[in-house]
Amino acid sequence: MSLTGTPFFVTAIALTAIAVILPLAVWSKVRGPAAVRVLTRALMVVFAQVTAVAVVFVAVNRAEHFYTSWGDLFGTGKYVTAAPDLGPDGLGGKKAEEVKKAPKVLQEFHPVDGLGGRVKKTELDGKISGVRGDVMVWLPPQYDDPAYKNKKFPVVELIPGIPGTGKSWFQGLKAHEVLEPLMKSGKVQPFILVSPRAMLLGNGDTGCANIPGKVNADSWFSVDVRKMVVDNFRASEDSRTWGVAGYSAGAYCAAKLAMAHPDRYSAAVSLSGYNDPGQEPSSLVAQDPELRRTHNLKAVLQAAPQPPAVSLWMSGAEHDGYLSGMDLKGLAKAPTVVHAEKVVGGHNLEAWSKQLPQTFGWLSGIVKAP
């Protein structure tokens, strides 16, 4: 039974109703020794409390899609098939041109329940990263317009927080619903939106890093997913046509991917992000002090051979993204550009969704159409 499906939700509601009605019906009818009566009544109370909590969890999870499967919830999903050391560029000794010219990764895409026909999903077997997971793609309204039949489109990769799935960007933030009318009116340029699986090792946060022997999350996002999009849609591999956006732990990932790979991305949007990966309790990178140090965004920026030609938008409340942005802004040297924006709102999907018109308007001026 699907964790986010209607049958499971209805079952949870039915059990909660039974848990409320049962004590009312049998409380005074319980027989036996005093200890047995007390235990039976206590179990009915516990049952009522557990079902009440469960139905709230199921309802919230259905709305926000933190976990889409039992494997995500219990951390038993298997998405890493191999994790060799791929080197500093994450290409495993291959040249970027070799990856580009490799046989096309042609995929089948299927509609996603509850999101309309324009959001589609595929299962991608990452040949470089050794990650196998789902990727969701939304095509802008102009994509099927005959006037654009020979046009290629810019792409924004969307990374959710932890816990969270690719569906979180569409079900929770409602990115496609917010952005589609803005694209139709010309206030935001038509982007292809791509949201890959981010939870690759149980409930742990990979920090979008390559950790030999564990996971090659960086290569999954910045190499395999990019190639798949270029091979299947009218998109370019040119970095100026690619941006990346994330919220919370995904915000950290977005900023790091852009700074580490200016040859793959030209801009990043960080919503309520941070610089120190240790701020995410489940961070795998933070478990090793040296990895935590080198993967701090300030260290990433300072260690770059030359200032990366990327633009970063970092927004959030004062201690929830804004000050991190100001820290990076103080270190940035041209051509790196950092914009720090203080916003009002909590650390939640509603607050991030409200920022999409402004942040994608900003992206429209930086990420260019091919």
Side-chain angles (χ1 to χ4, degrees), residues 293-352:
R293 183 188 69 80
T294 58
H295 283 73
N296 187 300
L297 296 189
K298 293 190 289 185
V300 172
L301 186 59
Q302 292 173 314
Q306 56 188 21
V310 295
S311 298
L312 306 179
W313 171 289
M314 304 186 73
S315 61
E318 185 167 2
H319 295 285
D320 190 28
Y322 174 69
L323 290 181
S324 294
M326 290 299 294
D327 285 345
L328 281 186
K329 184 175 182 177
L331 295 172
K333 297 178 181 179
T336 306
V337 176
V338 179
H339 173 82
E341 181 92 0
K342 185 185 288 188
V343 300
V344 176
H347 194 89
N348 56 67
L349 298 178
E350 182 181 2
W352 299 321

Side-chain angles (χ1 to χ4, degrees), residues 45 163 185:
V45 171
S185 67

